[in-house]
Each structure stands twice: as C-alpha cells, then as structure tokens.
C-alpha cells in the first residue's frame, strides 16, 4: 500500500488535499499578444496588450518580452477578469514605438514556480520617408525640351534620418491650373538615396517626385519646382504692382494692387476675368505663402485689402490659361511697425445745454446754447472746437445728424435749427488729439402747429 501511494504521487497531477477536496497548483494556461503583428507606422505609437490566462487561483503573473537578438524586458501583469473556478485573465499594455527592433519577438509568462507559457509575435516597422534637395532644371525651357528633376529620398529609421537606397521614384507633373498626373517610367535611388529623372516639358507647370512606399517604409510626395515652358500662344505680365502704404502700423490694412495684361499680337491688352494669387513672404521666412486671391476687372486690374501682420515682400502670380502662359509680378516690400501709443488725452464735457423756446413752433427756429469745457490742472475751462447738433424724434431709437457748429474760444456754443417735430436735441463733441469726446444731456422740446 505504501508503494502504491508513492506511485500515485509520482504519476498523477500535483494536488493539495484539504477537507476532502483537491485543488491544482497555479499555472499559466494560455498567452497571447494583440495586435499581432505589431505595425508601427512612422513616428506613431502602438499600444500592445500582452494577455495571460491562469488556473489554480494564481496570485501574480510575471511576463517577459524579448527580441530575437537582444535583452528581455520584465513586467508584472494585472488581473483584468475573473473567469471562475480558479481561472483568471491577466493583462499588461505597453507602448511600442520606432525604437523597437523589427522582427520576431517572444512573450512568455509564468506564475509561482510553474513552467512558463510563451508565444511569438512580430514587430513591423514602417518608417516615414521624405524628399530633400528637390530641383527641376533648367527652370525655363522651350516647348518639347527635356528637364531633369533631382533630389534625395530619406527614411527616418531607428537611428534617425538616413538616405534610402534602391527605392523606386516616380515623376508627376501639374500644369498651371490643373492637377497632378504621374508620368510613365521610374528610376531607383542610388546608394546615397539620390535620383535623376528626365522628362519632356510641353507646358508650364510644377514637377514633383513620388514614392509609393514599401512593406517597411511609408510613401512620400516631394515639394514642387516650377518650370516655365516658352512657346505658348500668348504671354502675360503683371505690371503697376504695389503694396501700400509703406510703412504701415501693425493691424492696419494693406492695399495690394496690380494690372494683368496679355500679349494679343497687337500689343499688351488688359486680361479681364482672370484669377490672380497674392503671395506673401515674411522677412524671417524663405517661402511664399498664399495670402489672398483676386479677379481682374474689365480693365485687367485687381486688388485686395489684407491685414498688416509682419514685415515682408508681396507678390502677385497668374497661373495662366489656355493659350496664355503664367506670370509673376515684381516683389514689393512693406515694413510693418508696432503702432505708436495713443497720446494721453484729457476729459471734456458739454455743460448747460438748453434748447428753446419750449414749446417750439413747427417750421420755426429753435435756439441751442451750452458750453464746451475741457479739464486741465486747474479744473474745467472753455474750449473752442467743432461740435455737432443731433436730433432724435419722439418714439425713435436713433439720433439724426442735423448740422455742425463751433464752440467759441471760451467754449460758448450758440446755434439754431428749424424744428419740424417733437423730440430730443443734444450736442456732441467727437474729441481730438488732446481731449476725449463728450455728449450733452438730451433736451426734449415739444413742437406745436399754431
């Protein structure tokens, strides 16, 4: 019997006897990784969840992840779900970014002193790419001549930006006023990521390079470079271009004006009904940016009003049309300065305002008196300046301008106006460089017919 008992312990599963029941030791029964594979695109971060399921009322779970070549990382999983009968689910979430080595990884988890469970997962790095040093040469060609677009394709890998060799690059073209089309053919970048693409130029427009990406790199579109093609049916030009005023206070308006003309064969004529782009380049910037658009009138003239924000150059550009090539104006610089501080001004008031006689007679004159006074160090004193007489009919909500009057040097106001209805009268001083404006109290006069 003793021998049989020992054999049973060796052959059967480990159990713990308590009050007539047996419970299995804690163990990890399953592990998983989500998502799998882990695809990191460019500079983004992917949240990856490592899951383990246990039995036997496990009290803690430890996990490790390890690349095929490199050191492993240890972490503790947290219980997320009680599955009943001593089973549970444990999870740990980790941010996976561009620093993780691409390739095969292993996740294993263990509880207590039992054997670990493991599973494999894959990290796939899809690096961002970009073009540098884009140039289309020559910048001006005859129709049908060839141009060459050059540049460098780079990728932002685990060690930072570096040339991307043996990548296939395509050429795309956008005529003025049109959209991009990819041209037939392509080239591969050399060992330094550099490429050269040649094409026939038939129209004026913009050229760019395009890369479609790969399983390990994202696609990219380069900046554009313009090439002007000579031999269009007609030429255009922008003349009389300017931005005013110069200098201008920050926040004020800048008026940008010009004249678009087309060569008709009989001289330069206004080119009406055409869209013109107004561009701006700040003094501390290197690129021209769209600031506004305008349309030429029947005389070929265009203009816009823009807010003055920074000092810089203004330019107008016409993209061209069927049978007419595009053109650009000369640049005009405007200096934007901080506005001068408002001068300190003193207060003013209109005292002793009176409208008489009361009641007034329809169509007869009323007499208005008062005194314009301004404050100085010694108090209030009379002040000579222009004032306005206003009237608000009975039951109305708006004041109506009637006439302009003048306060004498001693501030005395004396003026008159005909009355055609009952209502309120008042005097308004709008202020000047030295004194703030002021408004008298309203004086009601009833007007009768007799």
């Amino acid at each position: 019997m003793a021998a049989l008992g020992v054999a049973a312990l060796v052959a059967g599963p480990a159990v713990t006897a308590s009050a007539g029941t047996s419970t299995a030791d804690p163990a990890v029964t399953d592990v998983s990784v989500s998502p799998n594979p882990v695809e990191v695109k460019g500079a983004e971060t992917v949240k990856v969840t490592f899951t383990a399921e246990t039995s036997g009322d496990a009290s803690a779970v430890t996990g490790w992840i390890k690349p095929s070549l490199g050191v492993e990382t240890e972490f503790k999983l947290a219980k997320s779900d009680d599955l009943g009968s001593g089973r549970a689910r444990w999870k740990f979430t980790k941010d996976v970014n561009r620093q993780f080595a691409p390739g095969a990884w292993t996740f294993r988890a263990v509880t207590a002193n039992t054997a670990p469970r493991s599973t494999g997962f894959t990290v796939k790095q899809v690096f961002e790419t970009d073009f540098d040093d884009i140039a289309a040469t020559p910048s001006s060609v005859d129709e049908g001549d060839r141009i060459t677009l050059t540049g460098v394709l780079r990728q932002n890998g685990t060690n930072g930006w570096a040339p991307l060799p043996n990548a296939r690059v395509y050429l795309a073209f956008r005529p003025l006023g049109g959209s991009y089309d990819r041209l037939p053919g392509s080239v591969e970048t050399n060992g330094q990521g550099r490429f050269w693409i040649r094409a026939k130029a038939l129209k004026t427009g913009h050229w760019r390079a395009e890369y479609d990406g790969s399983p390990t790199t994202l696609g990219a579109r380069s900046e554009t470079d313009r090439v002007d093609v000579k031999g269009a049916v007609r030429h255009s030009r922008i003349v009389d271009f300017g931005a005013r005023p110069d200098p201008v206070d920050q926040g004020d308006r800048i008026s940008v004006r010009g004249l678009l003309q087309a060569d008709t064969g009989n001289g330069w004529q206004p080119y009406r009904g055409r869209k013109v782009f107004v561009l701006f380049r700040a003094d501390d910037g290197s690129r021209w940016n769209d600031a506004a658009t305008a349309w030429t009138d029947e005389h070929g003239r265009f203009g816009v009003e823009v807010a003055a924000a920074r000092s810089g150059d203004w330019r107008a550009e016409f993209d061209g049309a069927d049978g007419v090539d595009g053109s650009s104006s000369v640049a005009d610089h405007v200096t934007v300065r901080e506005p001068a501080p408002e001068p300190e001004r003193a207060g003013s008031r209109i005292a002793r305002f009176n409208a008489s006689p009361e009641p007034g007679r329809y169509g007869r004159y009323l007499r208005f008196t008062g005194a314009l006074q301004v404050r100085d160090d010694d108090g209030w004193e009379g002040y000579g300046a222009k004032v306005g007489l206003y009237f608000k009919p009975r039951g109305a909500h708006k004041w109506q301008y009637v006439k302009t009057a003048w306060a004498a040097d001693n501030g005395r106001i004396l003026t008159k106006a005909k009355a055609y209805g009952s209502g309120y009268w008042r005097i308004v001083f709008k202020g000047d460089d030295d004194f703030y404006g002021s408004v008298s109290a309203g004086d009601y006069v009833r007007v009768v017919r007799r």
Side-chain angles (χ1 to χ4, degrees), residues 18-359:
S18 175
T21 63
S22 63
T23 304
D25 288 337
V28 175
T29 59
D30 190 30
V31 289
S32 62
V33 180
S34 178
N36 187 12
V38 181
E39 187 174 73
V40 182
K41 293 183 178 179
E44 71 178 7
T45 296
V46 179
K47 291 191 177 295
V48 179
T49 301
F50 300 91
T51 304
E53 293 188 5
T54 61
S55 61
D57 293 318
S59 60
V61 176
T62 302
W64 294 267
I65 56 173
K66 182 180 182 302
S68 57
L69 294 175
V71 298
E72 64 182 3
T73 302
E74 179 181 330
F75 48 83
K76 297 293 185 182
L77 283 76
K79 183 186 287 189
S80 62
D81 301 287
D82 190 342
L83 303 179
S85 302
R87 297 181 302 115
R89 182 177 292 117
W90 305 72
K91 292 183 178 182
F92 177 79
T93 300
K94 188 173 185 62
D95 288 338
V96 176
N97 55 29
R98 192 162 54 87
Q99 304 306 317
F100 278 67
W105 286 64
T106 301
F107 164 52
R108 63 188 180 95
V110 67
T111 181
N113 295 320
T114 60
R117 287 268 185 167
S118 63
T119 187
F121 66 98
T122 302
V123 174
K124 182 180 179 182
Q125 292 284 358
V126 185
F127 299 119
E128 60 182 328
T129 61
D130 199 5
F131 287 95
D132 286 337
D133 301 333
I134 293 295
T137 55
S139 60
S140 179
V141 297
D142 291 329
E143 184 176 350
D145 286 352
R146 291 190 175 274
I147 63 98
T148 302
L149 185 72
T150 62
V152 178
L153 179 61
R154 305 181 190 275
Q155 69 172 356
N156 193 9
T158 54
N159 296 320
W161 286 99
L164 181 59
N166 307 121
R168 188 152 296 279
V169 176
Y170 299 88
L171 182 63
F173 173 71
R174 176 177 69 83
L176 298 178
S179 57
Y180 275 102
D181 285 320
R182 179 177 290 186
L183 276 62
S186 61
V187 296
E188 280 193 354
T189 58
N190 65 12
Q192 289 74 46
R194 185 165 290 278
F195 60 90
W196 296 261
I197 312 179
R198 300 194 69 203
K200 183 181 293 186
L202 300 175
K203 295 181 179 180
T204 296
H206 298 267
W207 299 84
R208 77 179 182 192
E210 298 182 348
Y211 171 58
D212 287 345
S214 71
T216 58
T217 54
L218 296 173
R221 303 290 182 267
S222 76
E223 294 180 351
T224 65
D225 201 10
R226 172 171 166 160
V227 173
D228 291 315
V229 176
K230 303 173 185 177
V233 176
R234 290 187 293 167
H235 297 291
S236 69
R237 69 179 185 180
I238 297 175
V239 296
D240 294 343
F241 178 79
R244 296 289 183 274
D246 178 30
V248 62
D249 288 339
Q250 191 175 56
D252 286 352
R253 307 296 290 179
I254 296 175
S255 177
V256 183
R257 297 285 184 268
L259 169 62
L260 177 63
Q261 296 178 326
D263 186 1
T264 63
N266 296 317
W268 294 99
Q269 299 295 328
Y271 202 13
R272 66 184 68 180
R274 296 297 168 179
K275 181 188 288 188
V276 177
F277 295 92
V278 176
L279 310 177
F280 175 73
R281 180 181 64 190
D283 283 347
D284 57 355
S286 59
R287 293 190 177 187
W288 292 93
N289 297 303
D290 289 343
T293 57
W295 290 84
T296 58
D297 62 15
E298 60 180 349
H299 305 293
R301 296 197 172 274
F302 62 89
V304 293
E305 301 287 331
V306 292
R310 293 182 293 173
S311 298
D313 294 309
W314 294 90
R315 189 181 81 187
E317 183 174 289
F318 169 56
D319 272 355
D322 290 341
V324 180
D325 62 0
S327 56
S328 297
S329 73
V330 297
D332 193 15
H333 186 273
V334 174
T335 299
V336 177
R337 61 195 178 188
E338 293 187 2
E342 285 282 340
E344 293 188 5
R345 296 189 288 175
S348 69
R349 70 181 184 184
I350 298 174
R352 302 187 300 275
F353 174 67
N354 182 61
S356 62
E358 299 181 42

Side-chain angles (χ1 to χ4, degrees), residues 354-360 366 443-446:
N354 182 61
S356 62
E358 299 181 42
L366 294 178
D443 191 9
Y444 183 81
V445 175
R446 182 170 61 90

